[in-house]
Amino acid sequence: MASNEAISATHYLYVNHDYVLRSYKTMSYSDFKTLEQINTELGIVIKDENKLYVNIEPVKLSNLFVEIMKVAFDLAIKIDTEMARQSFIVDNVLMELKRHIDISFFVGNAFNVDKSKGLTGNPDSIITNSDNQLYITSPVVILVEAKKSDLGGGYAQCIAEMEAARIFNERKANNIPIIYGVVTDGVIWRFISLHDNIAVIDSYLYNFGDGSKILGILKYFLQNSHNSVGSVITDPTDISPSI
């Protein structure tokens, strides 16, 4: 029979080995599951507002986008996976957005910013106010997370990606005042802003409709980010939602 000392030593090695494995496990954006975790681990304050962007004018859609979405939207809903909603709805929205404003966007690219904070991984979509489509450059303005359902479950992950974008821009000496986030299942779109360590979640459910309103809001985010560089904004909700 093993001695008590041997048993204790074996138990210590097992526990210590488990600790070492957990210590070396790298967190990523998808490991942020709750808003409380965002507040505790990243120090970001969470607030909610309502109907922040309802007055933004829709854009005039291209005929190409209208024709594509007649097929793509229904197809995404029928397939009913996150990948389908990203590929058939979100990606087409981003391509249409590029027709209205000079941007670059990246789908599924690695965006590893701060390993110590768990800010690593591959956001669904990254939109930058830059014309460089070869690699991600600052300023990163909008992060998009596509979900099959349970949009609320995507808030924490999206905000973690937004914080990573803030740090990324700051390191590149392009510290724009506000980072925006989007969580969507393709049908319902939810919008988040991050400014001065405060994440504001708009609780209003923005329906996709024909996409013109959603594109108008995204265009506003990019224009506002470009125009507000160097200005002082006390709160994201202080900005008048007009283009």
Side-chain angles (χ1 to χ4, degrees):
M1 181 178 294
S3 67
N4 290 336
E5 290 80 2
I7 294 173
S8 297
T10 302
H11 176 71
Y12 170 79
L13 289 173
Y14 174 79
V15 171
N16 191 53
H17 176 68
D18 180 61
Y19 172 78
V20 170
L21 287 178
R22 285 187 286 109
S23 297
Y24 277 94
K25 180 184 181 298
T26 302
M27 277 188 63
S28 66
Y29 302 120
S30 59
D31 290 313
F32 289 92
K33 303 292 187 184
T34 67
L35 296 176
E36 181 181 8
Q37 186 182 6
I38 289 292
N39 178 251
T40 302
E41 298 185 18
L42 298 180
I44 294 173
V45 176
I46 310 296
K47 293 185 177 181
D48 69 285
E49 297 287 346
N50 190 38
K51 298 184 178 180
L52 293 176
Y53 312 111
V54 294
N55 294 326
I56 291 178
E57 292 295 321
V59 302
K60 180 176 174 55
L61 301 173
S62 68
N63 292 332
L64 178 61
F65 178 78
V66 172
E67 290 302 313
I68 289 174
M69 293 310 293
K70 286 179 180 178
V71 177
F73 189 87
D74 288 343
L75 193 58
I77 302 306
K78 289 176 181 177
I79 295 174
D80 199 25
T81 62
E82 286 185 16
M83 183 175 293
R85 291 168 188 259
Q86 171 75 40
S87 300
F88 294 120
I89 300 177
V90 176
D91 290 355
N92 277 305
V93 166
L94 298 183
M95 285 189 284
E96 177 69 6
L97 182 64
K98 192 172 177 66
R99 295 185 184 101
H100 291 268
I101 187 168
D102 192 15
I103 61 165
S104 295
F105 66 87
F106 302 85
V107 179
N109 292 62
F111 192 52
N112 301 322
V113 176
D114 193 328
K115 184 177 179 180
S116 68
K117 294 182 178 180
L119 303 180
T120 65
N122 302 63
D124 287 341
S125 303
I126 296 172
I127 307 175
T128 75
N129 232 334
S130 164
D131 59 1
N132 185 353
Q133 194 61 70
L134 297 177
Y135 56 91
I136 300 170
T137 55
S138 67
V140 174
V141 181
I142 306 173
L143 287 300
V144 183
E145 278 299 315
K147 299 297 179 184
K148 177 182 175 181
S149 58
D150 185 25
L151 298 188
Y155 293 160
Q157 180 177 347
C158 189
I159 295 171
E161 293 166 358
M162 294 163 68
E163 172 66 1
R166 183 195 67 76
I167 295 171
F168 176 82
N169 291 340
E170 188 177 67
R171 288 175 180 171
K172 302 295 183 180
N174 204 345
N175 192 20
I176 59 175
I178 305 176
I179 307 295
Y180 295 97
V182 181
V183 181
T184 181
D185 62 3
V187 179
I188 301 299
W189 294 62
R190 306 293 301 272
F191 299 108
I192 310 169
S193 63
L194 176 64
H195 168 69
D196 198 22
N197 218 41
I198 299 174
V200 179
I201 300 173
D202 188 344
S203 59
Y204 188 72
L205 304 179
Y206 294 83
N207 195 279
F208 182 77
D210 65 357
S212 60
K213 182 75 169 183
I214 300 303
L215 279 153
I217 293 171
L218 295 175
K219 182 180 179 182
Y220 160 74
F221 288 166
L222 289 153
Q223 289 180 327
N224 180 63
S225 172
H226 178 76
N227 294 335
S228 61
V229 171
S231 63
V232 177
I233 302 171
T234 57
D235 191 290
T237 59
D238 288 341
I239 301 170
S240 175
S242 60
I243 335 181

